[in-house]
Amino acid sequence: MDMCNVQGVEVSASARKAWLNGEDLQLTAKEFDLLYALISNAGRVVSREQLMHDVWNTSFWTSTKTIDVHVGWLRRKLGDDARHPRLITTVRGRGLRFEVGPQAEARSS
């Protein structure tokens, strides 16, 4: 899947570009990889282990800080409030999910 468009966030894998409501997003390589890993699985939980494999090309890790820091940067660039996220939500004990639409109930990060 080359192009993904969910909730106004559009991503092109082949061009390695992303847009928010038509505006170009300036993302680092890791931020892009993380966004693509999440948005290409929109609506499904992606485990932290899978993200470490897909984004950082590793099967081992000792801290969730790497993912948390990058998710924080990505949320800021997307204008997503970490306390009341509408795009990237944390599913405790399971991983992260890129939401396909507005959430009826608040999920905590």
Side-chain angles (χ1 to χ4, degrees):
M1 164 179 0
D2 180 58
M3 293 291 289
C4 298
N5 189 339
V6 182
Q7 290 205 69
V9 179
E10 188 173 0
V11 175
S12 169
S14 61
R16 291 193 57 81
K17 291 190 60 92
W19 302 267
L20 175 62
N21 299 320
E23 296 291 322
D24 191 31
L25 283 170
Q26 299 298 313
L27 301 176
T28 66
K30 289 297 181 203
E31 289 168 347
F32 178 86
D33 292 343
L34 179 59
L35 177 59
Y36 186 74
L38 292 170
I39 203 168
S40 64
N41 289 289
R44 295 188 298 267
V45 175
V46 181
S47 72
R48 290 174 179 271
E49 291 82 4
Q50 190 63 46
L51 290 172
M52 287 304 293
H53 179 267
D54 293 350
V55 178
W56 283 271
N57 298 313
T58 184
S59 59
F60 65 90
W61 51 293
T62 58
S63 169
T64 62
K65 279 293 178 202
T66 297
I67 293 174
D68 294 339
V69 166
H70 282 80
V71 166
W73 291 336
L74 191 53
R75 280 180 172 147
R76 274 191 289 285
K77 290 182 178 184
L78 293 171
D80 203 18
D81 182 353
R83 288 172 294 189
H84 304 287
R86 62 180 182 77
L87 298 174
I88 301 171
T89 57
T90 300
V91 180
R92 290 196 190 278
R94 298 208 34 227
L96 298 162
R97 176 176 47 225
F98 197 96
E99 300 296 346
V100 294
Q103 296 304 297
E105 62 185 60
R107 289 188 173 94
S108 61
S109 311

